[in-house]
């Protein structure tokens, strides 16, 4: 069994790339919040709950949305065999701090329920899973930076143990105006539901992930 | 009352992140939950916090929430009756 990257999507520096080609760019937007809102509208995403998400979930959600545009994963694979495995450096620190600000002063103790529900990075994966009805492996792991070995090992293991037949995996990092995401759509080569391997498919292995991250591929 | 209703609409848009809406888009008498604004259970908790934080009113019995949060107008009437 070999795993292939069917498609990949990155969001960094006010630019969204799909398979290395620019799908949306808006360098004039000042800061993450304005950029992500402009990108949401550009891709004509109809999901009002997006606006209620914290910034990390917005980035993860939109990354998955763009990655899966035009794909029919749920039609090809059982939903319980489709998963999402993400890695991230700052966890949910930004919304954690926002929550802390609402509870640090006992005289002004007004925790916001809508902030509190996002004080876990797993919620980002959950939002995408709810939207696309993935019911397979759903994990967010914390690492200091983009870790190709980690992403590969966890995803590869999930395929080898038979837990998954398709997976969205990668890196989604956001803290204030620093943001970066790189997601891969991974499928099994030779799987009955997978269309025949094309020249554009890339072998899913750590060195390839790193090359894509460094934009060397 | 109308001033309070206008203020509530602005506050609700802010705390519930209803970024696509303007105060004028919200019907003062329309249902906030269900078919109205389509708010959810987390939004309901957020409205309870809003009443306490901005108006100093604590809802003692959560069952009262259904009546109080039916619409912007019922919220405004509750605030008017209960604000010290």
């Amino acid at each position: 069994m070999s795993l292939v990257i069917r498609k990949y999507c990155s969001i960094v520096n006010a630019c969204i790339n799909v398979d290395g080609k620019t799908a949306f760019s808006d360098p004039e937007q000042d800061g993450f919040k304005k950029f992500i809102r402009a990108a949401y509208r550009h891709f004509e995403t109809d999901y009002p709950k997006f606006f209620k998400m914290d910034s990390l979930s917005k980035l993860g959600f939109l990354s998955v949305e763009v990655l899966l545009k035009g794909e029919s994963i749920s039609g090809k694979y059982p939903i319980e065999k489709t998963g999402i495995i993400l890695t991230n450096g700052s966890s949910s620190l930004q919304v954690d701090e926002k929550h802390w600000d609402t509870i640090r002063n006992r005289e002004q103790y007004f925790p916001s329920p809508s902030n509190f529900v996002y004080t876990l990075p797993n919620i980002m994966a959950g939002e995408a899973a709810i939207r696309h009805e993935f019911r397979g492996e759903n994990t967010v792991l914390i690492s200091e930076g983009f870790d190709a070995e980690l992403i590969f090992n966890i995803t590869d293991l999930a395929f080898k143990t038979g837990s998954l037949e398709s997976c969205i995996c990668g890196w989604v990092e956001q803290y204030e105006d620093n943001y970066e995401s790189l997601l891969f759509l991974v499928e099994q080569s030779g799987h009955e539901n997978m269309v025949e391997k094309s020249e554009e498919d890339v072998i899913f292995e750590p060195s390839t992930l790193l090359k894509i991250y460094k934009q060397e591929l | 009352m109308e001033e309070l209703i206008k203020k509530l609409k602005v506050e609700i848009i802010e705390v519930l992140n209803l970024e696509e809406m303007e105060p004028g888009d919200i019907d003062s008498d329309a249902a906030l939950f269900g078919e109205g604004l389509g708010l959810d259970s987390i939004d309901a908790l957020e409205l309870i916090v809003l009443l306490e934080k901005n108006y100093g009113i604590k809802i003692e019995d959560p069952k009262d929430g259904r009546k109080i949060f039916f619409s912007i107008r019922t919220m405004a009437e509750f605030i008017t009756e209960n604000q010290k």
Side-chain angles (χ1 to χ4, degrees):
Chain A
M1 176 197 79
S2 65
L3 300 177
V4 293
I5 300 168
R6 293 292 300 177
K7 201 171 174 185
Y8 59 92
C9 167
S10 68
I11 302 184
V12 65
N13 294 332
C15 188
I16 300 181
N17 287 332
V18 178
D19 289 339
K21 296 178 187 109
T22 303
F24 175 70
S25 173
D26 197 353
E28 288 177 14
Q29 290 294 356
D30 184 24
F32 174 76
K33 285 183 178 173
K34 286 183 181 173
F35 166 72
I36 204 76
R37 211 179 301 154
Y40 170 90
R41 294 199 173 107
H42 174 81
F43 289 100
E44 298 177 341
T45 319
D46 184 20
Y47 198 70
K49 199 176 174 226
F50 174 84
F51 295 104
K52 298 188 178 192
M53 295 178 194
D54 73 318
S55 294
L56 178 66
S57 294
K58 278 181 179 151
L59 180 60
F61 177 90
L62 199 70
S63 303
V64 174
E65 204 65 19
V66 176
L67 182 74
L68 295 185
K69 211 167 177 65
E71 299 290 329
S72 57
I73 288 298
S74 58
K76 281 162 65 182
Y77 296 98
I79 51 176
E80 64 275 12
K81 295 280 185 181
T82 300
I84 179 160
I85 297 173
L86 304 178
T87 58
N88 148 299
S90 300
S91 185
S92 55
L93 184 61
Q94 186 174 316
V95 77
D96 292 349
E97 288 178 343
K98 205 171 166 188
H99 177 62
W100 172 239
D101 282 341
T102 66
I103 60 171
R104 67 199 308 170
N105 182 350
R106 300 302 297 183
E107 304 298 313
Q108 285 292 312
Y109 189 87
F110 294 108
S112 159
S114 54
N115 276 338
F116 178 72
V117 293
Y118 286 101
T119 56
L120 271 178
N122 310 54
I123 305 302
M124 152 178 65
E127 291 284 12
I130 291 168
R131 161 77 157 168
H132 296 281
E133 299 184 338
F134 307 146
R135 294 195 193 154
E137 185 73 35
N138 186 311
T139 304
V140 176
L141 299 162
I142 308 300
S143 60
E144 278 188 31
F146 179 84
D147 188 335
E149 293 279 348
L150 177 68
I151 295 167
F152 173 80
N153 287 334
I154 300 293
T155 307
D156 187 52
L157 184 66
F159 274 93
K160 278 183 176 154
T161 56
S163 300
L164 295 182
E165 292 181 3
S166 67
C167 184
I168 284 96
C169 64
W171 165 254
V172 184
E173 164 64 6
Q174 183 274 329
Y175 181 75
E176 295 178 346
D177 283 330
N178 299 313
Y179 60 93
E180 178 181 71
S181 80
L182 174 59
L183 295 187
F184 307 95
L185 172 58
V186 179
E187 295 179 50
Q188 270 175 279
S189 178
H191 189 285
E192 57 181 12
N193 292 338
M194 186 182 164
V195 292
E196 203 168 314
K197 189 178 181 308
S198 75
E199 284 180 13
E200 289 173 5
D201 288 334
V202 182
I203 297 295
F204 181 68
E205 56 190 5
S207 59
T208 316
L209 302 187
L210 199 57
K211 276 183 188 167
I212 292 173
Y213 179 70
K214 290 181 172 176
Q215 298 180 357
E216 293 171 354
L217 199 71
Chain B
M1 180 69 78
E2 290 309 311
E3 273 304 304
L4 178 56
I5 285 175
K6 205 184 288 179
K7 185 169 172 254
L8 267 175
K9 287 179 182 177
V10 172
E11 290 172 340
I12 285 172
I13 285 171
E14 190 191 338
V15 299
L16 303 186
N17 290 324
L18 303 173
E19 296 189 17
E20 302 287 284
M21 302 200 85
E22 298 285 334
D25 298 335
I26 305 177
D27 182 344
S28 308
D29 297 299
L32 292 172
F33 294 86
E35 288 181 10
L37 277 186
L39 306 185
D40 60 23
S41 55
I42 298 295
D43 295 324
L45 293 172
E46 205 66 67
L47 292 181
I48 291 171
V49 173
L50 183 149
L51 277 192
E52 194 175 345
K53 187 178 176 185
N54 295 6
Y55 299 94
I57 301 171
K58 199 167 185 171
I59 296 177
E60 301 295 344
D61 187 352
K63 285 181 198 157
D64 294 339
R66 192 177 288 266
K67 209 166 65 181
I68 298 163
F69 298 123
F70 177 77
S71 67
I72 299 281
R73 190 175 303 280
T74 57
M75 276 184 78
E77 284 168 355
F78 179 76
I79 292 168
T80 308
E81 285 165 15
N82 292 276
Q83 206 168 20
K84 288 163 195 168

